[in-house]
């Protein structure tokens, strides 16, 4: 399934946040979106997932919904968004309960996704008992449970320390190698972008326009061993972003 | 400990000569500002006060006309128990309290959820709630007597109204405080509206609702006694009023002790409920 954004424009009050953004996320492709803070990345992702109506332009899906997908467009949030009063399995169960799945089948799915994210031992734990990395793993397990066609990830690793981030990035690469999900991955961390992205879309400062697109053909699984090459790519992306980021930093936000 | 400007001008070598240069402990400056649980302190304080009071009464320092001895109040309580009147008074009070409080709380939660969830309910009901909340409900008792009769109806209605408004306010404030990200998460997974309310909003508002219960329960006790003092044959309030009218101070103190005990029991029950429903927070 493809996600197509056509000429997305969006305003909050008087200020334009997104200006004429078009992009396509192909089947099995991870598209990274980077851009200076406040340029509208989260807004773009909310529009892509149908949580917000764009002021102009269209968010479209094309191609058949994959068999068995309960929630084709599925989010992973920066702050994990786990219900603190539900256990790990309860949080996964939450997103299955509205689909009329028999209880036995549901427990089967929960056990399966927890096993795939190495969380089986923590099924009965409450979110407050888990570290940040574990919480994000639970959120990933929850997303896998509804068999998404496209994952929408808004800075999923930004709340984690750098070691945990490395571990989870490895997990994501392994997961992608197995499942070949498509993803729209918003980040401000260029290292994550070059490690995960098939394409990197660089946005300008507010109002967000597409500044440049960097394609990376290197297979995901090989990237860990070819870090020096990625390093130069990362520098290239940074060169594109630098001026934008500097200007964005000096701007006074005049949001009403 | 003044923060004069001049104090900062001089280098910090106060009392020159006593400057130490050898190895020494880093001076400890932490600690304090934290409460340690001190289990038996509360009962000890309570018993000491009772003992001083009893001693004062026995020695004649406290006149029995001004304040009866605790033992006298206790004797009145025992007497109440032996004549069987205790259950009559306490039963009548508990019935009114439980009925009024639970109806008021249920209605309050329902209206509070509506105010929290629907713009129309908020625009229509919130001004009404804000206008009626500060009215002392006991002032409306004559009105309730006309509407619901001099019997149980008016007393239950007073308690119901008294608990309704704080519950509405606690509930809708709790709904407003539910993490919007969690609601957005629910929407992004395609949960139905009812599921979002039942599984995200209500549990998220539960801490606020329960602390509302604490407030409404004490309001209910105050109103109970006031309503019973105005017109009731039985009930702890009526018992206290009767004792006061006869200047039977020992009975009066016994009645007040009963009320205090009732309040403690309710606080304990709500604490249990909180432990159960909010275990995820501890
Ligand atoms: N609901 C809203 N109402 C009004 N203004 C908003 C709203 N949401 C976002 N904005 C504004 O729109 C702009 C873009 O916000 P957005 O969160 O999409 O940026 P972002 O690129 O995700 O930023 P960050 O890197 O900080 O996450 C910001 O200036 C923000 O203040
Ligand atoms: Mg953002």
């Amino acid at each position: 399934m493809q996600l197509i954004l056509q000429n997305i424009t969006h305003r909050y009050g008087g200020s334009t946040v997104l200006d004429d953004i078009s992009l396509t996320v192909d089947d099995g492709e991870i598209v990274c979106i980077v851009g200076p803070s406040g340029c509208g990345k989260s807004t773009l992702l909310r529009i892509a997932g149908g949580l917000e109506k764009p002021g102009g332009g269209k968010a479209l899906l094309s191609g058949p919904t994959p068999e068995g997908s309960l929630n084709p467009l599925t989010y992973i949030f920066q702050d994990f968004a786990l219900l603190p009063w539900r256990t790990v399995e309860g949080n996964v169960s939450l997103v299955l309960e509205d689909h009329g799945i028999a209880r036995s089948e549901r427990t089967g799915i929960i056990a399966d996704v927890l096993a795939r994210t190495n969380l089986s031992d923590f099924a009965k734990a409450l979110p407050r008992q888990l570290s940040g990395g574990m919480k994000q793993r639970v959120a990933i397990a929850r997303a896998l449970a509804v068999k998404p066609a496209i994952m929408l990830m808004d800075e999923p690793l930004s709340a984690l320390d750098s070691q945990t981030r490395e571990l989870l990035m490895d997990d994501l690469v392994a997961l992608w190698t197995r499942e070949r999900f498509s993803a729209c991955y918003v980040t401000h961390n260029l290292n994550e972008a070059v490690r995960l992205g098939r394409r990197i879309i660089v946005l300008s400062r507010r109002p967000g326009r597409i500044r440049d697109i960097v394609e990376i053909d290197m297979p995901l699984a090989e990237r860990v061993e070819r870090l020096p090459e990625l390093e130069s790519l990362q520098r290239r992306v940074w060169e594109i972003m630098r001026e934008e980021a500097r200007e964005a930093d000096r701007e006074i936000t005049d949001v009403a | 400990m003044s923060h004069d400007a001049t104090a900062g001008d001089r280098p910090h070598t106060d009392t020159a000569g006593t400057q130490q240069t050898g190895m020494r402990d880093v001076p400890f400056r932490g600690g304090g500002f934290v409460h340690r649980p001190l289990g038996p302190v509360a009962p000890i304080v309570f018993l000491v006060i009772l003992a001083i009071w009893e001693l004062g009464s026995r020695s004649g320092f406290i006149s029995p006309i001004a304040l009866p001895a605790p033992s006298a109040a206790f004797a009145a309580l025992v007497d109440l128990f032996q004549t069987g009147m205790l259950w009559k008074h306490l039963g009548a009070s508990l019935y009114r309290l439980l009925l009024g409080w639970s109806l008021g709380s249920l209605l309050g939660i329902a209206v509070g959820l509506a105010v929290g969830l629907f713009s129309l309910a908020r625009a229509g009901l919130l001004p009404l709630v804000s206008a009626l909340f500060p009215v002392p409900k006991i002032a409306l008792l004559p009105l309730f007597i006309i509407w619901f009769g001099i019997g149980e109806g008016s007393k239950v209605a007073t308690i119901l109204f008294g608990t309704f408004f704080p519950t509405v306010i606690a509930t809708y404030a709790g709904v407003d405080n539910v993490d919007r990200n969690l609601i957005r998460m629910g929407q992004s997974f395609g949960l139905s509206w009812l599921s979002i309310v039942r599984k995200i909003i209500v549990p998220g508002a539960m801490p606020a609702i329960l602390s509302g219960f604490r407030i409404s329960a004490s309001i209910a006790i105050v109103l109970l006694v006031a309503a019973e003092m105005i017109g009731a044959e039985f009930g702890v309030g009526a018992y206290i009023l009767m004792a006061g009218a006869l200047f039977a101070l020992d009975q009066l103190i016994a009645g007040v002790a009963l009320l205090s005990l009732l309040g403690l029991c309710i606080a304990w029950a709500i604490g249990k409920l909180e432990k159960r429903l909010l275990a995820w927070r501890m």
Side-chain angles (χ1 to χ4, degrees):
Chain A
M1 203 161 77
Q2 271 188 326
L3 172 68
I4 304 160
L5 300 181
Q6 277 180 354
N7 312 101
I8 299 284
T9 301
H10 196 68
R11 305 166 68 84
Y12 279 122
S15 64
T16 307
V17 177
L18 294 168
D19 188 16
D20 198 24
I21 295 200
S22 300
L23 64 91
T24 303
V25 181
D26 275 324
D27 227 347
E29 184 185 55
I30 299 181
V31 173
C32 288
I33 298 178
V34 298
S37 135
C39 75
K41 305 180 294 290
S42 301
T43 309
L44 186 65
L45 211 60
R46 282 203 297 276
I47 290 171
L51 289 180
E52 195 153 334
K53 282 208 179 92
K58 282 198 182 105
L60 304 167
L61 291 172
S62 121
T65 309
E67 177 120 21
S69 175
L70 300 174
N71 191 44
L73 289 169
T74 297
Y75 278 89
I76 307 265
F77 298 89
Q78 177 177 0
D79 64 354
F80 324 125
L82 300 175
L83 300 186
W85 49 86
R86 285 199 179 213
T87 59
V88 166
E89 55 181 13
N91 266 287
V92 179
S93 168
L94 174 81
V95 300
L96 297 170
E97 284 161 13
D98 272 16
H99 292 283
I101 302 170
R103 181 180 292 271
S104 58
E105 196 184 337
R106 205 161 68 206
T107 43
I109 296 175
I110 295 169
D112 173 51
V113 293
L114 290 186
R116 269 150 72 195
T117 43
N118 297 322
L119 285 169
S120 302
D121 295 341
F122 302 92
K124 304 271 187 243
L126 283 169
R128 70 177 157 83
Q129 299 170 305
L130 302 176
S131 66
M134 288 295 224
K135 283 184 204 162
Q136 198 55 296
R137 278 211 187 89
V138 177
I140 292 171
R142 177 177 65 185
L144 291 176
V146 292
K147 301 203 175 59
I150 300 167
M151 298 251 233
L152 302 170
M153 306 165 111
D154 192 357
E155 312 205 17
L157 308 184
S158 294
L160 308 176
D161 62 88
S162 56
Q163 288 92 336
T164 315
R165 194 179 307 171
E166 277 302 318
L167 289 176
L168 258 140
M169 220 159 9
D170 291 344
D171 285 359
L172 279 180
V173 170
L175 202 63
W176 184 85
T177 313
R178 254 185 299 145
E179 327 241 339
R180 298 280 158 166
F181 55 85
S182 338
C184 196
Y185 188 106
V186 167
T187 177
H188 61 248
N189 183 317
L190 300 184
N191 182 256
E192 284 171 33
V194 296
R195 285 279 297 280
L196 296 172
R198 165 76 184 68
R199 271 186 302 146
I200 299 174
I201 295 180
V202 185
L203 295 185
S204 69
R205 68 176 188 276
R206 203 162 53 114
R209 300 192 183 94
I210 294 185
R211 189 54 224 279
D212 210 340
I213 298 177
V214 178
E215 308 247 351
I216 308 178
D217 270 329
M218 198 191 301
L220 275 199
E222 285 176 26
R223 293 192 187 182
V224 198
E225 281 108 56
R226 293 164 67 180
L227 285 178
E229 284 171 66
L230 289 181
E231 186 78 24
S232 65
L233 266 171
Q234 188 178 332
R235 204 160 314 125
R236 213 178 100 206
V237 178
W238 173 234
E239 289 303 329
I240 300 169
M241 266 188 72
R242 176 184 251 140
E243 270 315 302
E244 298 290 342
R246 200 205 305 274
E247 288 300 319
D249 191 42
R250 295 162 64 93
E251 234 163 48
I252 297 169
T253 338
D254 53 345
V255 193
Chain B
M1 281 304 283
S2 63
H3 295 275
D4 294 328
T6 50
D9 294 340
R10 270 172 265 118
H12 263 321
T13 50
D14 51 334
T15 56
T18 60
Q19 261 222 342
Q20 296 168 289
T21 47
M23 220 189 284
R24 59 199 177 275
D25 285 334
V26 171
F28 177 72
R29 291 170 290 180
F33 301 106
V34 171
H35 288 292
R36 291 168 295 150
L38 297 173
V41 168
I44 289 175
V45 169
F46 184 68
L47 286 179
V48 166
I49 290 176
L50 275 189
I52 292 175
W53 180 2
E54 182 72 41
L55 270 177
S57 294
R58 295 249 164 129
S59 67
F61 182 70
I62 302 174
S63 146
I65 298 169
L67 195 63
S71 54
F74 186 73
L77 211 55
V78 171
D79 186 49
L80 199 60
F81 178 76
Q82 278 169 347
T83 54
M85 290 306 282
L86 180 66
W87 302 121
K88 221 160 190 157
H89 289 301
L90 211 53
S93 288
L94 275 179
Y95 167 78
R96 292 165 190 147
L97 195 66
L98 287 182
L99 197 63
W101 181 78
S102 40
L103 285 179
S105 295
L106 279 180
L107 281 174
I109 290 174
V111 172
L113 280 179
V115 169
L117 292 173
F118 307 110
S119 305
L120 187 65
R122 174 163 306 207
L125 293 176
L126 203 52
L128 212 63
V129 169
S130 311
L132 290 178
F133 180 41
V135 174
K137 302 304 166 300
I138 199 68
L140 299 177
L141 184 64
L143 209 57
F144 291 148
I145 290 177
I146 295 172
W147 291 351
F148 305 108
I150 185 83
E152 296 304 306
S154 56
K155 295 175 192 64
V156 171
T158 311
I159 297 170
L160 189 156
F161 271 79
T163 53
F164 171 76
F165 293 101
T167 311
V168 171
I169 289 174
T171 306
Y172 100 78
V175 171
D176 280 1
N177 268 330
V178 174
D179 188 352
R180 297 291 115 175
N181 281 334
L182 292 182
I183 296 174
R184 191 162 271 162
M185 180 277 293
Q187 291 175 322
S188 82
F189 278 97
L191 301 198
S192 66
W193 183 87
L194 201 65
S195 280
I196 291 180
V197 172
R198 257 187 25 195
K199 296 169 187 170
I200 299 178
I201 293 179
V202 170
M206 200 46 89
I209 294 176
L210 287 181
S211 52
F213 277 4
R214 280 190 189 278
I215 295 170
S216 68
S218 21
I219 292 179
I221 294 182
V222 171
L223 287 177
L224 168 79
V225 174
E228 285 178 344
M229 281 184 162
I230 290 182
E233 196 180 346
F234 296 112
V236 180
Y239 176 74
I240 292 177
L241 187 75
M242 217 143 51
L246 300 174
F247 283 97
L249 294 190
D250 51 343
Q251 291 182 9
L252 190 132
I253 299 286
V256 170
L258 270 182
L259 286 180
S260 161
L261 221 60
L262 188 64
L264 280 177
C265 286
I266 291 176
W268 175 83
I270 294 177
K272 278 273 164 208
L273 198 66
E274 270 178 348
K275 271 228 172 72
R276 218 192 145 96
L277 289 178
L278 306 181
W280 52 273
R281 281 208 311 190
M282 313 296 172

